[in-house]
Amino acid sequence: MSIKSSGSLTRRRFLKGTTAVAGMAAVSGIAPYRFAIGDMAKVKIGILLPYSGTYAMLGNSITDALKLRIDQEGGKLGGREVEYVQVDSQMSVPNAPQNTKKLADKDKVDFLVGPVHSGIAAVMAKLVGGQKSPIMIVPNAGSNAVTGALCAENIFRTSFSNWQPAYPGGKVMADDGHKTAVTIAWKYAAGRQMMDAGTESFEAAGGKIIKDIEVPFPDVEFQAHLSEIAALKPDAVFAFFSGGGAVKFVKDYHGAGLKDSIPLYGPGFLTEGVSTAQGEAAEGIRTTLHYSADLSHEGNVAFRTAYEKATGNAANVFAVQGFDTGELLVQAMAAVEGDTGATETLIKAMAGAEFPNSPRGNWKMSKAHNPIQNIYLREVHGGKQKLLGVAAEALEDPATGCSM
Ligand code: BEZ
């Protein structure tokens, strides 16, 4: 992949344009300087997220909240107008190289925001990692490798590693007195890595995983698997599904009569943003995640109000990740006064960004560019997440294989 040259606003082009516009302003005496710059060169944000299929809700929530945060700055970053170039990832790993190259090489975006899916994240990181431009910001996909073996100066994540929300969950299940469990997840990197992390802490606390069930992604045919779980009679089940698939799984689990006899646990994606649609079937499900809707600090209350006003929807963790992606861009572009060519300063600002008012609570970037953040224990009550406590405070991903 070529490093972008003509489309990016290098420091030289930025300053050249500024001088020309300032000169025109001096002659006419009327041209507003900042408006003219904004007109001349917009900051390009490429977005590769799912807008169709089982993860569509995730992609839409991230996009809406990213735009909300930038709109709160008058729609500008570092004084420059913003242009969004959106591509539906359709959760297709085979299409990921061409989608990434379209945004990076053809559209020549300054920032590449995406994806949701761990398999796509690894493809994107291999293509753009180590390049001067674009800077990649992952607003969801948890692929451990992206901030592990594939970590790079120009890759940042505002969400989580797959290990992070899952690892405390296994211990919660053991602390609730369960000795045996079955794991069930979609068969790809996210599912495997989350189930491995939950297993690690569950077994360290004395539990035993008696069966790993893998479901092809994005299948939602669960009946045979639920019959197998009923026959195995574990104390508990640890599951990863998200979006539309999570609605179907939790409802089918309830429908199969398993909910009361074999409690469901998992990383919070199982009920996040979908607990209303899951209804009665979700009641009482305990999950661990880096967000809980009922966090009472001002940053969360203000965010939820603004998001609901802008979209008509209740905010969820995916929106939080989109909002914090916007916040990262706001801070970094202010630090370089809009000069996306000042790569070194830009990356330094991103690595040092602070999020004291994040809806999820205070967090910062690790050396590998992944959030160091609290993981909360939540339980669904009346269709809403109820915060039970902090399952792991300021949890940092091990970043295995990253030498930054
Ligand atoms: C992932 O593929 O990394 C992922 C997708 C949905 C929710 C959480 C993680």
Side-chain angles (χ1 to χ4, degrees):
M1 171 167 295
S2 61
I3 296 175
K4 108 177 122 170
S5 51
S6 59
S8 71
L9 186 68
T10 62
R11 176 182 283 275
R12 226 179 79 237
R13 283 182 59 213
F14 179 82
L15 293 177
K16 205 171 140 203
T18 306
T19 312
V21 171
M24 277 163 52
V27 172
S28 69
I30 49 164
Y33 170 84
R34 295 193 74 78
F35 177 79
I37 288 175
D39 247 14
M40 183 181 62
K42 294 183 178 176
V43 183
K44 269 195 176 182
I45 302 181
I47 304 180
L48 183 53
L49 290 172
Y51 298 111
S52 54
T54 203
Y55 287 163
M57 177 274 286
L58 287 66
N60 285 316
S61 302
I62 293 166
T63 307
D64 287 348
L66 166 69
K67 291 182 178 175
L68 169 65
R69 180 64 193 94
I70 294 172
D71 285 351
Q72 289 175 344
E73 299 297 311
K76 291 182 179 179
L77 291 172
R80 291 168 59 191
E81 303 273 352
V82 175
E83 179 183 344
Y84 301 98
V85 187
Q86 282 176 233
V87 173
D88 181 357
S89 74
Q90 298 175 316
M91 302 169 306
S92 164
V93 178
N95 289 349
Q98 82 195 46
N99 286 337
T100 306
K101 286 176 187 169
K102 178 203 171 301
L103 291 168
D105 289 344
K106 183 164 167 285
D107 299 318
K108 299 188 188 305
V109 299
D110 298 296
F111 298 96
L112 181 54
V113 174
V116 154
H117 183 290
S118 276
I120 298 176
V123 171
M124 291 172 73
K126 282 179 197 157
L127 285 170
V128 306
Q131 304 279 345
K132 192 162 170 273
S133 181
I135 292 177
M136 176 173 165
I137 307 176
V138 182
N140 186 75
S143 162
N144 290 339
V146 163
T147 52
L150 297 174
C151 76
E153 292 288 343
N154 66 326
I155 299 178
F156 292 84
R157 181 151 55 197
T158 51
S159 50
F160 57 91
S161 73
N162 287 326
W163 178 86
Q164 272 180 313
Y167 183 75
K171 167 104 169 38
V172 164
M173 208 159 59
D175 288 349
D176 282 353
H178 304 302
K179 301 273 181 253
T180 60
V182 166
T183 72
I184 180 165
W186 271 318
K187 187 180 176 163
Y188 77 101
R192 189 63 271 143
Q193 292 172 359
M194 289 189 212
M195 297 303 100
D196 285 349
T199 298
E200 187 187 339
S201 61
F202 183 58
E203 297 202 335
K208 178 97 194 98
I209 298 295
I210 57 171
K211 175 96 190 184
D212 281 313
I213 299 175
E214 295 187 306
V215 182
F217 177 82
D219 281 8
V220 290
E221 287 312 317
F222 299 118
Q223 288 313 326
H225 305 304
L226 297 176
S227 300
E228 190 180 5
I229 290 170
L232 286 164
K233 294 192 176 51
D235 292 346
V237 164
F238 192 73
F240 164 69
F241 296 101
S242 189
V247 175
K248 176 81 165 40
F249 177 75
V250 167
K251 282 188 151 184
D252 284 1
Y253 196 86
H254 182 47
L258 297 175
K259 180 174 171 272
D260 296 328
S261 50
I262 309 175
L264 257 183
Y265 291 83
F269 310 108
L270 194 60
T271 52
E272 186 68 15
V274 288
S275 53
T276 308
Q278 289 165 335
E280 170 61 22
E283 289 298 301
I285 295 181
R286 286 188 169 188
T287 60
T288 43
L289 198 66
H290 49 291
Y291 183 60
S292 186
D294 58 349
L295 286 167
S296 59
H297 62 281
E298 177 53 26
N300 189 39
V301 174
F303 161 69
R304 295 193 69 82
T305 306
Y307 184 84
E308 194 157 344
K309 190 167 169 227
T311 67
N313 299 320
N316 53 46
V317 75
F318 311 107
V320 171
Q321 294 163 177
F323 193 73
D324 284 351
T325 300
E327 174 63 25
L328 179 62
L329 287 167
V330 167
Q331 287 188 36
M333 286 295 283
V336 294
E337 294 178 346
D339 183 0
T340 39
T343 313
E344 224 175 278
T345 314
L346 196 53
I347 285 177
K348 212 166 153 207
M350 292 175 84
E354 293 185 356
F355 301 84
N357 300 316
S358 169
R360 74 184 85 171
N362 189 12
W363 67 273
K364 62 179 183 177
M365 288 284 177
S366 70
K367 270 175 74 181
H369 298 173
N370 188 66
I372 301 174
Q373 57 192 340
N374 287 346
I375 303 295
Y376 304 99
L377 174 60
R378 316 102 45 86
E379 189 173 291
V380 178
H381 279 268
K384 295 190 168 144
Q385 304 293 343
K386 182 165 175 266
L387 176 66
L388 297 185
V390 177
E393 206 175 327
L395 189 65
E396 181 169 356
D397 179 80
T400 308
C402 176
S403 54
M404 272 200 315

